[in-house]
Amino acid sequence: TLVANMASDAAQQEYMPAPNEAFQFIDSKGEIADEHETSADGRSLNSFFSLNRNFLDKGFDYSVVAVLGPQSSGKSTLLNMLFGTHFAVMDAYISRTRTTQGVWMGVSHTEGPKDAEAVVVLDVEGTDSRERGEEDVAFERKTSLFSLALSSVLMINMWMHDIGRYNASNTALLKTVLELNLQLFQRSLGAGTTKTLLFFVIRDHTVTPLDALKGIIIRDIEEIWKSIAKPAEMTNSRLTDLFDMDFAALPHKVHQPEPFVKEVTTLRERFLNPNHPESILKREYRKGIPADGFYPFAYEVWQTIKANRDLDLPSQKEMLAMYRCEEIAEAAYTRFVQELVPIRTQTDKGVLVENYGAKASELLNNTLQEYEKPASRYHPETSARREAQLRGRVVSELFEVFSKQITRLGAHAIQHFHERAAEVLPDPEAGTSPRPGKPSPSDITNFAEIAKKLAQESFEYFESNARASVLPDSEWTFQEEHETLVKVVEKEVGRLRKAYISKLLSDIKDLLDETIAHNLTRVFDKAEPDMWAQARKVFQNGLETSEEQLRKRLVGFEVEGDAADEYIEQMRVRAIELVKTKLRERTEYLPMRMAKRFDEYFVLDERGLPRRWKKDDDVAAVFTSARERTEVLLERFSLIRLKSEDDKVVYLTKDEVSQDLKPTGQVRQDDSRVVLNIDACEATLDRFRKETESAYLQALRDQESAVRLTGVPGYIIILIIILGFNEFVALISNPFLLLLTLMVGGGLYVVYVLNLGGPVRGILESLLASFVDKLREGMQKVDAISHPAPPASPSRPPSAGSSRAKRE
């Protein structure tokens, strides 16, 4: 409603609110209101806050908006239309004089319920007023700085035709305000730093595109930021670290009333609608001061500003000096930037600049000399102050190149370390030297000494070039980069040490294989009763040899004490694992070894020849003994016994009834010493017993054959000799029969001696069975030929039964 009423009367008369609806925060003399003191209209600041929806209870839910701009530029009217405040406005039909004196305050609220967020609106006295004149322009700077320090959003009201002008657009004022804001209130950037929105309202906008106007303003502000003196902590800060910028353009209020009201309504929506997509009052712009602490904070800010003498207007000589020194400094700085381009390009490409410190000093001195000669004719303090600012800008640019130079130098130092390491140290992964005369990795016994020398060379290379890059008489340092280099080089040395120690451990592993694995294979293959005593001796001898070699080599890596003991322990674990591996390999052939060992005890005799079973031999007893002596191998191969007390440990036992294996309980199945668990042992034993049953049956058959051969009575043999004497004479008289008899007799003797009666009998029985089958087949063919079948009847075929009867 308020906007509509003002729109209807916009071309006739300014809106005149009641004077008691706003509160004068700072009067024209620069005195800030006391929060408890009652003003002439009977109000105090606290009562003013209380009447505005209990502002003091808002906590952090409020924003501060202030407006700066020339006198009589419509600032108060704009604030009234935007926020519904009632600041006094000028009657353009009477005169164009100062209306707002000092700083006035109003409170508005965003759209929403009664507890909506508050907006503190500060209407600041216009700049460049006739009433103030030149002598009291310092008051403008103080109120402007005060507004900037408190505001979430600082509106800058400016005429479009003043854009690009230095004073009319308040560029000089903004420069001083921003500079003093940094000195007084913004000493450094940190986690608690909040931004302020600089909101430029361009009045009487006509045909010039808004984007073009934006570009001009942004460039002007950025140039202001570059030129202002900054605290040391903020030398490299950017404008965007502290400020955001936004823009709005408004048509002419008198000549274009309806478009003007329309744009103001749109702008009002952006201010007071928190859900608007382009909302202006964002939370990140708030200063973090609770509502009940707003006045104490504002009071302290104003007192600080009043006490700072730098806000006083300079004299005319100082103004001239500021203007001319600015031009001279910019010219000198421009030439400096051009001369710095080749050096900057070189560092950007990663190429080191030799003696950069001397070159930087020459550039700095030339730039300052170029400035000092013409600037010395102007106000000394102003000239010196601008020279210090110029020096700061030049040193800042030089330091940026220096930082890149030092970063590149660190990379070059690391590369230098790698190149020297490649020249002196062989590749730890290589088995032999890649070039003649270069040692192999196994020959490196003084790695620590070599690594220290290489690292020191890299550090000296970095430090010498870094010192030559420092600007003389500056506070530049490369300590951080040097520490980074040390860490990287130490990391590389650690990587090489790890690789060489890994190679050393690999060599020790080969030594363990040579001294332990090969000898253990022979011990395990023999599987003698003292197998583990022999294995322990082999293991201990190999371990002592390897440990001696490892300790001796680790000294060259400066690895001693507990660290060396860790590697020794790793080697011991490796040796134990090697024993376990070898034992597992041999257990894969355990069934074959048991079969061979059983044959040695049962099939062969003491001479290693096939056993000849006699009538009186106890085959069952020999078989049982051979089995028991063979099954002992399971106990030997199922458990690692590298300690002498392990010989007393019994892992397996037999059930007295079923003769099945079962654990004794002296060793757990998950013990690291166990190689064959109980299941594997039972499977091996079952297989062995099944394979040996055939040998037992064969032995019984051989014994039966021997009994038959030796069972003929003696008188029968005498009778055969007497009755067959003539045949014997005839046999020896005929050479052919004699030779045949000797051959047959010799063959039978060999069969008897070698105990091959069983196999030969099996062959003969097979031949006899085959002969009988052939004979039966021949008799059937003869019978078929002797009794041919009668021809079949044409009426019906012969029955199967009749033909079968005839054949029978």
Side-chain angles (χ1 to χ4, degrees):
T1 302
L2 178 61
V3 173
N5 292 336
M6 287 187 288
S8 64
D9 196 36
Q12 300 297 328
Q13 184 178 355
E14 297 289 347
Y15 180 77
M16 298 294 294
N20 62 345
E21 293 186 22
F23 194 92
Q24 190 171 26
F25 199 23
I26 299 175
D27 62 19
S28 60
K29 297 180 180 180
E31 298 298 327
I32 190 169
D34 187 275
E35 59 181 333
H36 302 293
E37 184 178 347
T38 303
S39 62
D41 58 2
R43 295 183 302 164
S44 67
L45 189 59
N46 279 345
S47 63
F48 169 77
F49 282 142
S50 300
L51 290 173
N52 284 277
R53 298 191 188 181
N54 292 322
F55 169 77
L56 297 178
D57 297 330
K58 289 294 183 181
F60 296 95
D61 293 332
Y62 74 97
S63 300
V64 181
V65 178
V67 63
L68 299 179
Q71 176 184 298
S72 303
S73 60
K75 301 187 301 299
S76 301
T77 300
L78 179 60
L79 293 177
N80 291 338
M81 296 180 71
L82 289 175
F83 301 102
T85 52
H86 297 283
F87 296 115
V89 297
M90 182 191 70
D91 188 351
Y93 289 94
I94 298 176
S95 66
R96 301 191 66 83
T97 60
R98 180 177 62 180
T99 303
T100 302
Q101 298 184 29
V103 179
W104 286 74
M105 179 190 299
V107 177
S108 180
H109 291 83
T110 58
E111 298 175 359
K114 290 184 178 181
D115 58 348
E117 297 180 0
V119 182
V120 177
V121 184
L122 299 180
D123 189 9
V124 184
E125 179 178 333
T127 61
D128 197 22
S129 67
R130 175 174 54 84
E131 289 80 359
R132 287 282 179 188
E134 180 179 333
E135 297 301 324
D136 203 16
V137 177
F139 184 81
E140 298 176 1
R141 296 192 171 195
K142 293 176 181 180
T143 55
S144 300
L145 180 56
F146 176 76
S147 302
L148 177 60
L150 265 62
S151 298
S152 307
V153 177
L154 181 64
M155 297 176 62
I156 302 173
N157 196 53
M158 60 196 316
W159 304 109
M160 184 192 74
H161 53 74
D162 287 337
I163 295 177
R165 299 177 181 176
Y166 190 77
N167 288 319
S169 63
N170 288 317
T171 301
L173 177 63
L174 278 176
K175 177 179 179 181
T176 303
V177 168
L178 291 178
E179 186 173 28
L180 291 172
N181 178 64
L182 289 179
Q183 294 177 6
L184 296 179
F185 307 115
Q186 200 73 55
R187 302 298 298 177
S188 63
L189 291 174
T193 303
T194 59
K195 289 186 177 182
T196 300
L197 175 63
L198 300 180
F199 193 85
F200 294 88
V201 180
I202 303 172
R203 305 295 292 271
D204 295 354
H205 178 244
T206 54
V207 296
T208 306
L210 180 59
D211 289 338
L213 298 175
K214 286 182 182 179
I216 296 174
I217 296 174
I218 290 174
R219 285 195 296 272
D220 290 343
I221 298 299
E222 288 179 344
E223 287 300 320
I224 290 174
W225 183 261
K226 290 181 180 178
S227 63
I228 64 176
K230 304 179 183 68
E233 300 86 353
M234 301 189 65
T235 302
N236 298 320
S237 63
R238 298 171 298 178
L239 177 66
T240 54
D241 293 332
L242 297 176
F243 300 97
D244 288 338
M245 288 187 285
D246 202 353
F247 302 83
L250 299 178
H252 198 287
K253 179 177 181 296
V254 177
H255 301 304
Q256 297 173 292
E258 292 182 1
F260 175 84
V261 173
K262 180 181 178 181
E263 292 297 329
V264 171
T265 303
T266 302
L267 191 57
R268 173 186 174 89
E269 184 73 7
R270 290 182 61 190
F271 269 105
L272 299 184
N273 184 1
N275 298 320
H276 194 281
E278 296 180 357
S279 176
I280 296 175
L281 300 179
K282 299 179 180 179
R283 289 183 175 272
E284 55 262 35
Y285 298 142
R286 297 175 182 173
K287 302 301 181 182
I289 306 298
D292 57 356
F294 175 76
Y295 175 80
F297 174 72
Y299 180 85
E300 291 298 327
V301 168
W302 181 246
Q303 296 303 324
T304 302
I305 292 173
K306 286 181 63 178
N308 191 285
R309 295 182 178 180
D310 291 341
L311 294 175
D312 295 335
L313 255 182
S315 64
Q316 291 294 329
K317 290 184 178 180
E318 289 178 288
M319 289 291 292
L320 177 61
M322 290 174 60
Y323 176 75
R324 286 295 297 134
C325 291
E326 180 74 21
E327 286 186 338
I328 297 170
E330 284 301 319
Y333 180 76
T334 300
R335 182 182 298 275
F336 159 76
V337 171
Q338 293 175 351
E339 294 178 354
L340 186 62
V341 168
I343 298 177
R344 188 189 297 274
T345 303
Q346 187 174 348
T347 56
D348 289 342
K349 292 181 179 180
V351 180
L352 295 180
V353 180
E354 294 185 5
N355 297 319
Y356 173 75
K359 295 180 179 179
S361 178
E362 182 180 359
L363 286 175
L364 175 61
N365 293 332
N366 292 341
T367 303
L368 295 180
Q369 289 174 5
E370 183 178 352
Y371 169 83
E372 289 171 354
K373 185 175 181 180
S376 61
R377 298 192 297 265
Y378 298 98
H379 189 268
E381 294 180 1
T382 303
S383 174
R385 186 166 58 250
R386 193 62 188 89
E387 181 182 358
Q389 295 176 6
L390 176 62
R391 173 186 288 273
R393 292 180 67 185
V394 171
V395 171
S396 177
E397 294 289 338
L398 292 173
F399 181 77
E400 182 180 347
V401 178
F402 169 77
S403 298
K404 293 182 179 179
Q405 168 93 347
I406 295 301
T407 301
R408 300 292 185 187
L409 181 58
H412 280 248
I414 296 172
Q415 182 179 357
H416 176 78
F417 173 82
H418 287 157
E419 291 174 353
R420 290 287 296 128
E423 294 175 1
V424 178
L425 295 172
D427 184 2
E429 302 297 330
T432 58
S433 173
R435 298 197 304 265
K438 191 174 182 179
S440 67
S442 301
D443 297 332
I444 300 298
T445 58
N446 58 338
F447 173 84
E449 179 181 347
I450 296 175
K452 285 182 179 179
K453 182 178 180 181
L454 294 177
Q456 188 62 33
E457 290 179 3
S458 298
F459 298 153
E460 292 175 354
Y461 170 83
F462 174 84
E463 291 174 0
S464 61
N465 286 276
R467 281 193 292 269
S469 300
V470 174
L471 180 67
D473 301 326
S474 70
E475 296 180 356
W476 293 358
T477 178
F478 47 86
Q479 183 64 31
E480 183 178 350
E481 289 78 6
H482 184 271
E483 292 176 356
T484 301
L485 174 63
V486 171
K487 291 179 181 178
V488 173
V489 171
E490 288 178 351
K491 183 177 180 181
E492 287 297 310
V493 171
R495 182 186 64 81
L496 287 174
R497 178 186 289 106
K498 183 178 180 181
Y500 273 96
I501 291 180
S502 177
K503 175 62 178 175
L504 172 60
L505 294 178
S506 178
D507 294 343
I508 295 300
K509 173 182 172 295
D510 295 339
L511 181 60
L512 287 174
D513 290 340
E514 179 181 348
T515 57
I516 294 179
H518 182 67
N519 294 328
L520 281 180
T521 301
R522 293 199 302 267
V523 172
F524 291 153
D525 285 344
K526 291 181 180 180
E528 297 177 352
D530 61 343
M531 180 183 78
W532 280 110
Q534 299 179 27
R536 283 194 293 271
K537 184 177 181 181
V538 171
F539 174 79
Q540 196 61 36
N541 291 338
L543 197 61
E544 290 176 356
T545 301
S546 301
E547 180 177 345
E548 181 182 358
Q549 288 288 335
L550 182 57
R551 286 192 182 277
K552 181 179 179 180
R553 293 287 301 278
L554 286 176
V555 173
F557 293 93
E558 293 186 348
V559 178
E560 298 176 340
D562 295 340
D565 292 339
E566 290 182 6
Y567 286 114
I568 296 299
E569 183 61 26
Q570 292 180 19
M571 183 196 67
R572 178 177 293 274
V573 172
R574 166 62 191 166
I576 294 174
E577 192 62 29
L578 180 62
V579 174
K580 184 178 292 188
T581 300
K582 281 299 175 183
L583 189 60
R584 284 199 182 101
E585 290 177 1
R586 308 326 295 172
T587 55
E588 293 179 2
Y589 305 100
L590 185 57
M592 297 175 56
R593 181 171 289 100
M594 292 178 69
K596 180 180 178 182
R597 184 62 58 89
F598 175 79
D599 289 344
E600 293 175 357
Y601 293 145
F602 184 72
V603 177
L604 303 178
D605 57 15
E606 292 78 3
R607 298 172 298 171
L609 299 176
R611 189 184 296 274
R612 294 176 57 188
W613 297 103
K614 301 177 181 179
K615 177 179 180 181
D616 298 331
D617 289 341
D618 190 348
V619 177
V622 176
F623 176 77
T624 301
S625 174
R627 262 192 175 182
E628 291 176 350
R629 294 173 66 184
T630 303
E631 290 173 359
V632 172
L633 295 179
L634 280 175
E635 179 73 19
R636 293 177 190 166
F637 282 86
S638 59
L639 194 69
I640 293 180
R641 304 171 189 267
L642 291 179
K643 298 179 180 179
S644 57
E645 55 265 25
D646 291 339
D647 290 341
K648 302 177 182 180
V649 176
V650 179
Y651 177 57
L652 302 172
T653 186
K654 292 182 182 179
D655 188 271
E656 296 181 356
V657 178
S658 62
Q659 292 296 304
D660 293 334
L661 291 178
K662 62 179 181 180
T664 61
Q666 297 183 20
V667 181
R668 296 178 55 178
Q669 290 296 301
D670 57 355
D671 194 301
S672 59
R673 296 174 295 173
V674 175
V675 177
L676 290 176
N677 57 29
I678 189 63
D679 295 333
C681 292
E682 289 178 350
T684 304
L685 182 62
D686 291 343
R687 176 181 174 183
F688 167 71
R689 289 179 175 178
K690 290 178 180 179
E691 291 177 352
T692 56
E693 288 176 357
S694 59
Y696 176 70
L697 297 176
Q698 181 64 40
L700 291 178
R701 287 195 293 267
D702 292 345
Q703 187 181 43
E704 291 176 359
S705 299
V707 170
R708 285 197 297 269
L709 291 175
T710 57
V712 180
Y715 65 88
I716 295 298
I717 295 175
I718 296 174
L719 184 60
I720 290 174
I721 293 174
I722 294 174
L723 296 178
F725 179 77
N726 293 332
E727 287 73 9
F728 175 74
V729 172
L731 178 64
I732 62 176
S733 300
N734 190 332
F736 175 76
L737 291 177
L738 179 61
L739 180 60
L740 179 61
T741 301
L742 292 176
M743 291 177 61
V744 172
L748 293 175
Y749 178 75
V750 171
V751 169
Y752 173 75
V753 171
L754 297 180
N755 199 20
L756 298 177
V760 172
R761 183 177 60 190
I763 295 174
L764 293 178
E765 290 177 351
S766 176
L767 292 175
L768 181 61
S770 176
F771 174 74
V772 171
D773 290 340
K774 293 292 185 180
L775 181 61
R776 184 182 295 110
E777 183 180 352
M779 293 296 293
Q780 290 177 354
K781 290 181 179 180
V782 172
D783 181 69
I785 294 173
S786 302
H787 302 85
S793 173
S795 58
R796 66 173 186 176
S799 64
S802 61
S803 62
R804 186 182 300 111
K806 289 181 180 180
R807 285 197 301 272
E808 291 174 355

